[in-house]
């Protein structure tokens, strides 16, 4: 009872404190190093805030340090604009508009992903409740994997879901397929696992990260170009930019060893296919509203299919394209003997990874963040 009283008193204090300070926390500039590809080194550029809206097509980069580690994620600005999305499988295109955002310069590697996998559940729970909801729960009240009754009561009183954050379970098999970990892209995670990584990264850094929408991913792949898109068909030219089945030696490669696109982003055409935030719709352009469609995004409500974009080390050269898209399916867990099957791993998809984005105009509240959050769905396929 003493612990509960302390929790409630602490809760009231922190609710007041965080109601005042949460917006500043969410928008606080982290100790990131801002860089520009401009030759200028004047003070204005050196101190440019990473939260200021993009006003030009200049490439601006920063590195997000992951607290408690020696890892950082390099981010590249994609200035907002309108472009013709597609052509899709039926040759159709559709004009869409996307706001400015930063996107990972490289695919997320095992070095970064394993920080998430190895996180202590009670520690990250404490950070989530405190940093996102202003509820300070003593770590003694959060036991892994089950929350104490006192903690559950406090969460119910504050309308906070107990499963707001979770961490990957051990994989059933070697999800790297023996292709290496140090410096190599993380693969084989489910769409839900990739999403949960972005939530973990948000809590760890204080900046809002998520998966890119399909529209954002394609726009970044096309380097924010408004020109009609033509995939690279010249093999010699394509090999400068993409790992694919004919040049990858049948394995994924360390990101950054191919030439970047015009915005400085590496490996979007190949190496690993990349999760986006959207439910997969074969008739995607038909579902878009308005022209241009304003920041389109199809929130997933069904387990399959979810959308991955770009080619991979397993795919033919023709798939190394900004318009390459595919939907996940149950065969991606063919070797998983469990029922329900893992929420976290696709045992048969060592070709899919992801990169993260951070909107320039970040959500101003947790409820706005929740528009991009997805629910776990048990897999009985």
């Amino acid at each position: 009872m003493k612990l509960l009283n302390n929790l409630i008193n602490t809760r009231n204090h922190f609710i007041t404190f965080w109601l005042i300070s949460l917006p500043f926390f969410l928008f606080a500039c982290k100790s990131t190093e801002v860089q520009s590809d401009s030759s200028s080194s004047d003070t204005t550029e050196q101190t440019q805030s990473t939260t200021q809206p993009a006003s030009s097509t200049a490439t601006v980069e920063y590195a997000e340090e992951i607290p408690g580690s020696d890892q950082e994620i390099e981010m590249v600005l994609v200035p907002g604009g309108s472009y013709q999305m597609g052509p899709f499988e039926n040759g159709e295109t559709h004009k869409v508009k996307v706001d400015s955002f930063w996107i990972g310069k490289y695919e997320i590697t095992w070095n970064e992903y394993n920080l998430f996998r190895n996180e202590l559940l009670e520690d990250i729970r404490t950070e989530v409740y405190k940093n996102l909801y202003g509820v300070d729960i003593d770590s003694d009240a959060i036991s892994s994997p089950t929350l104490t009754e006192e903690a559950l009561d406090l969460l119910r009183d504050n309308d906070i879901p107990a499963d707001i954050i979770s961490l990957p379970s051990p994989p059933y098999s070697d999800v790297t397929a023996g292709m290496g970990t140090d410096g190599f892209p993380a693969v084989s995670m489910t769409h839900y696992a990739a999403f949960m990584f972005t939530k973990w990264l948000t809590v760890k850094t204080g900046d809002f990260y998520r998966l890119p929408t399909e529209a954002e991913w394609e726009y970044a792949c096309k380097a924010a170009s408004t020109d009609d898109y033509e995939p690279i068909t010249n093999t010699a030219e394509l090999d400068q930019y993409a790992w694919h089945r004919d040049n990858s030696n049948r394995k994924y490669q360390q990101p950054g060893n191919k030439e970047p696109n015009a915005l400085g982003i590496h490996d979007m055409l190949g190496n690993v296919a990349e999760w986006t935030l959207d439910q997969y719709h074969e008739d995607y352009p038909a579902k878009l509203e308005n022209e241009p469609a304003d920041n389109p995004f199809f929130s997933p409500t069904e387990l399959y299919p979810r959308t991955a974009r770009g080619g991979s080390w397993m795919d033919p050269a023709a798939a190394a394209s900004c318009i390459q898209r595919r939907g996940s399916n149950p065969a991606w867990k063919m070797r998983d003997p469990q029922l329900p099957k893992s929420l976290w791993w696709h045992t048969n998809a060592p070709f899919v990874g992801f990169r993260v984005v951070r909107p320039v105009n970040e959500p101003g509240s947790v409820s706005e963040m929740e528009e991009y959050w997805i629910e776990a769905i048990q897999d009985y396929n």
Side-chain angles (χ1 to χ4, degrees):
M1 181 60 71
K2 181 178 178 181
L3 173 60
L4 181 59
N5 289 334
N6 289 340
L7 292 174
I8 293 173
N9 290 335
T10 304
R11 176 202 63 186
N12 293 335
H13 171 76
F14 273 87
I15 286 174
T16 302
F17 172 78
W18 281 100
L19 282 175
I20 296 172
S21 59
L22 182 58
F24 298 95
F25 169 80
L26 293 172
F27 287 96
C29 292
K30 309 306 295 178
S31 56
T32 53
E33 182 181 358
V34 179
Q35 299 176 334
S36 169
D37 65 351
S38 169
S39 59
S40 172
S41 58
D42 61 42
T43 304
T44 301
E45 281 196 344
Q46 292 297 321
T47 58
Q48 181 177 348
S49 168
T50 57
T51 59
Q52 291 178 350
S55 59
S56 73
T57 56
T59 301
V60 179
E61 302 181 4
Y62 73 91
E64 183 74 86
E65 298 175 357
I66 302 179
S69 77
D70 60 356
Q71 298 297 311
E72 62 182 24
I73 300 175
E74 295 185 56
M75 304 293 292
V76 176
L77 176 68
V78 182
S82 299
Y83 76 107
Q84 289 291 338
M85 197 171 175
F88 293 87
E89 291 83 348
N90 61 2
E92 187 176 352
T93 64
H94 195 103
K95 192 171 187 178
V96 301
K97 170 184 174 295
V98 293
D99 295 335
S100 299
F101 59 95
W102 287 277
I103 191 168
K105 186 174 185 178
Y106 309 107
E107 297 147 339
I108 293 295
T109 67
W110 286 112
N111 305 66
E112 295 140 1
Y113 194 74
N114 284 339
L115 296 174
F116 163 60
R117 289 177 62 188
N118 297 328
E119 180 73 69
L120 293 176
L121 185 57
E122 53 266 42
D123 289 348
I124 193 63
R125 279 174 170 168
T126 301
E127 291 186 62
V128 168
Y129 302 145
K130 182 177 180 179
N131 295 346
L132 296 187
Y133 294 95
V135 178
D136 193 17
I137 301 180
D138 191 287
S139 59
D140 291 339
I142 303 176
S143 59
S144 178
T146 304
L147 293 166
T148 64
E149 283 302 318
E150 289 89 345
L152 288 171
D153 287 342
L154 189 53
L155 295 177
R156 293 190 194 101
D157 291 345
N158 288 278
D159 196 26
I160 302 173
D163 58 349
I164 189 68
I165 189 82
S166 53
L167 299 172
S169 59
Y172 177 75
S173 58
D174 177 12
V175 290
T176 72
M179 294 186 285
T181 55
D182 188 16
F184 290 97
V187 295
S188 304
M189 75 291 295
T190 62
H191 184 261
Y192 177 74
F195 152 75
M196 195 58 77
F197 175 91
T198 66
K199 185 185 282 188
W200 169 83
L201 186 62
T202 296
V203 175
K204 298 298 289 187
T205 64
D207 292 323
F208 178 66
Y209 287 93
R210 58 173 171 77
L211 295 173
T213 66
E214 272 208 76
E216 289 170 339
W217 189 95
E218 184 174 316
Y219 187 56
C221 184
K222 293 177 176 177
S225 173
T226 58
D227 297 336
D228 292 340
Y229 180 73
E230 292 288 342
I232 301 173
T233 55
N234 180 283
T235 301
E237 182 182 3
L238 183 63
D239 285 353
Q240 296 178 36
Y241 296 97
W243 295 109
H244 51 81
R245 188 167 64 195
D246 298 331
N247 69 2
S248 65
N249 196 25
R250 300 298 178 101
K251 66 185 294 291
Y252 57 50
Q253 303 291 325
Q254 292 186 332
N257 286 329
K258 292 290 187 181
E259 293 294 321
N261 69 10
L263 287 180
I265 309 167
H266 292 262
D267 298 305
M268 296 206 76
L269 297 179
N271 204 24
V272 297
E274 300 177 11
W275 286 120
T276 70
L277 199 56
D278 297 60
Q279 187 85 58
Y280 178 83
H281 292 293
E282 190 170 344
D283 57 345
Y284 180 96
K287 292 184 173 298
L288 295 176
E289 297 181 354
N290 303 318
E291 186 119 7
D294 188 1
N295 292 290
F297 158 52
F298 296 103
S299 182
T301 57
E302 298 177 353
L303 183 57
Y304 297 109
R306 307 283 174 91
T307 307
R309 298 296 301 261
S312 81
W313 60 273
M314 292 180 65
D315 296 318
S321 162
C322 292
I323 56 176
Q324 177 68 26
R325 56 195 301 266
R326 75 190 78 190
S328 61
N329 64 73
W332 291 17
K333 292 182 185 174
M334 189 180 302
R335 288 201 303 270
D336 188 340
Q338 308 163 96
L339 198 66
K341 296 189 175 183
S342 174
L343 281 174
W344 301 100
W345 300 105
H346 280 302
T347 54
N348 294 74
F351 52 82
V352 66
F354 68 102
R355 70 181 76 214
V356 300
V357 301
R358 176 188 170 198
V360 168
N361 296 315
E362 294 183 273
S365 66
V366 174
S367 61
E368 291 182 18
M369 291 184 189
E370 289 173 346
E371 295 179 14
Y372 299 97
W373 290 357
I374 62 176
E375 300 291 333
I377 300 176
Q378 293 293 344
D379 189 350
Y380 290 96
N381 291 283

